[in-house]
Amino acid sequence: IWQTKLAIGLGNFDLSMDLRHWINEGLMAFFFLIVGLEIKREIVKGELRDRHKFLLPIGAAVGGMVLPALIYTAFNLNGPGEAGWGITMATDIAFAVAVLSLLGNKIPSGLKIFLLSLAMADDIGAITVIALFYSEVINIWYLLLSFLVAGLVWAFRKELQYHIVIVFALGIVLWLTTHHSGVHASIVGAVMGMLAPIGSDNEQRTAAERMEKLFLPFTTFFVLPVFALANAGFEINKNVLNENQAVAIGIILGLLIGKSVGILVSSWLLVRFKVASLPNGVNWQHILGIGFLAGIGFTVSIFITELAFSGNHGLISTAKASIFVASILAATIGSLVLSARNKKRPSS
């Protein structure tokens, strides 16, 4: 089913891809649009507006991306799975926040904000990695045209902020030029989201805020389930993790150990050298627990798997199985670490 071709044409123009590619490059652009809009809103009027508040989660996110990539590379350097180093860098914000929410109101409010900010910084890193390392530019003129369209959106952002139809149309044009350039077109959603102007609370609802309200249910209840249906499946057998052991070990250790240690150590260094401080009510056991929850990869990890190992069914199956194993372990250990901390807190 997913290899069925779907073509859109007008005159001499024709765009043909199989259904899986339409989902991964087309529908996932809406997912990244929501990510970009959320990041922009936090930068303009949220937690990321205060430099002292966002330095800790951003620094933690960097540590939580670099160490997993290094661990994976250590096991796969010069091997068939070498290109998969980006798989271990991603955090699935939806699942991580969902697991944290299951722990109830015993978790300090600053801890959820820390996780959200960390995951958003992580998303920026993942989007950058996809754009720079998992795209092959085949047409420089289309790439320049993409920069031109993006530049026009940025230059006239104030004039466009209340015109959602025009912004959406420009987004489609940018998607088409980016797709033809060879860069993975899904990142256009994030670019449009971060270029969109966000107004203050007392202003008329801007196009960015209207787009977020319009497309959030669409991405949550349609795009992500369809993406999972098209991409998350893998053959279950006793050899799925043994066939490519280096890939499996690299992903599981990268997401489980690399994320938790990278986030904990980076955070400790920032606090130790007085660059940042822990949020109110948050201690180091909390940070360790969040580090494990950040090892829940799933959506973006699977997305990068498809890009890194395109056409190699064996590596893709091993990588997906490893992501599932690592994510389940990360969610379980992270919950236990945070729950253990809650049990020590005296009841009021």
Side-chain angles (χ1 to χ4, degrees), residues 121-186:
D122 194 288
D123 283 338
I124 295 175
I127 291 165
T128 303
V129 165
I130 292 169
L132 295 180
F133 300 101
Y134 293 106
S135 298
E136 183 179 353
V137 177
I138 57 176
N139 191 312
I140 191 65
W141 297 111
Y142 273 113
L143 182 61
L144 291 174
L145 190 55
S146 296
F147 279 115
L148 177 61
V149 175
L152 287 173
V153 174
W154 180 82
F156 294 99
R157 61 193 184 281
K158 295 297 182 182
E159 289 76 8
L160 293 171
Q161 65 177 327
Y162 301 117
H163 301 284
I164 186 171
V165 175
I166 298 176
V167 172
F168 188 69
L170 288 171
I172 293 176
V173 172
L174 182 58
W175 186 91
L176 288 170
T177 58
T178 303
H179 171 76
H180 284 292
S181 75
V183 176
H184 205 275
S186 61

Side-chain angles (χ1 to χ4, degrees), residues 1-47:
I1 292 175
W2 304 118
Q3 293 174 346
T4 303
K5 292 289 184 181
L6 174 64
I8 297 176
L10 180 64
N12 294 326
F13 172 79
D14 180 74
L15 180 60
S16 178
M17 295 189 290
D18 62 38
L19 291 181
R20 180 177 280 113
H21 278 90
W22 276 112
I23 291 167
N24 291 352
E25 289 203 45
L27 288 182
M28 283 299 284
F30 289 97
F31 167 76
F32 284 114
L33 172 66
I34 296 300
V35 171
L37 290 170
E38 290 176 343
I39 292 170
K40 182 64 178 286
R41 188 180 66 248
E42 289 298 316
I43 290 173
V44 172
K45 54 184 181 182
E47 288 298 318

Side-chain angles (χ1 to χ4, degrees), residues 202-233:
N202 60 354
E203 289 183 349
Q204 177 185 348
R205 190 180 293 272
T206 63
E209 293 161 319
R210 288 160 62 195
M211 281 195 297
E212 185 174 2
K213 183 178 180 181
L214 177 65
F215 291 122
L216 181 58
F218 174 64
T219 58
T220 303
F221 298 113
F222 181 74
V223 173
L224 291 181
V226 169
F227 170 81
L229 188 63
N231 293 281

Side-chain angles (χ1 to χ4, degrees), residues 258-272:
K259 277 286 185 184
S260 56
V261 174
I263 288 171
L264 180 64
V265 172
S266 297
S267 300
W268 183 84
L269 289 173
L270 289 169
V271 173
R272 174 68 177 80

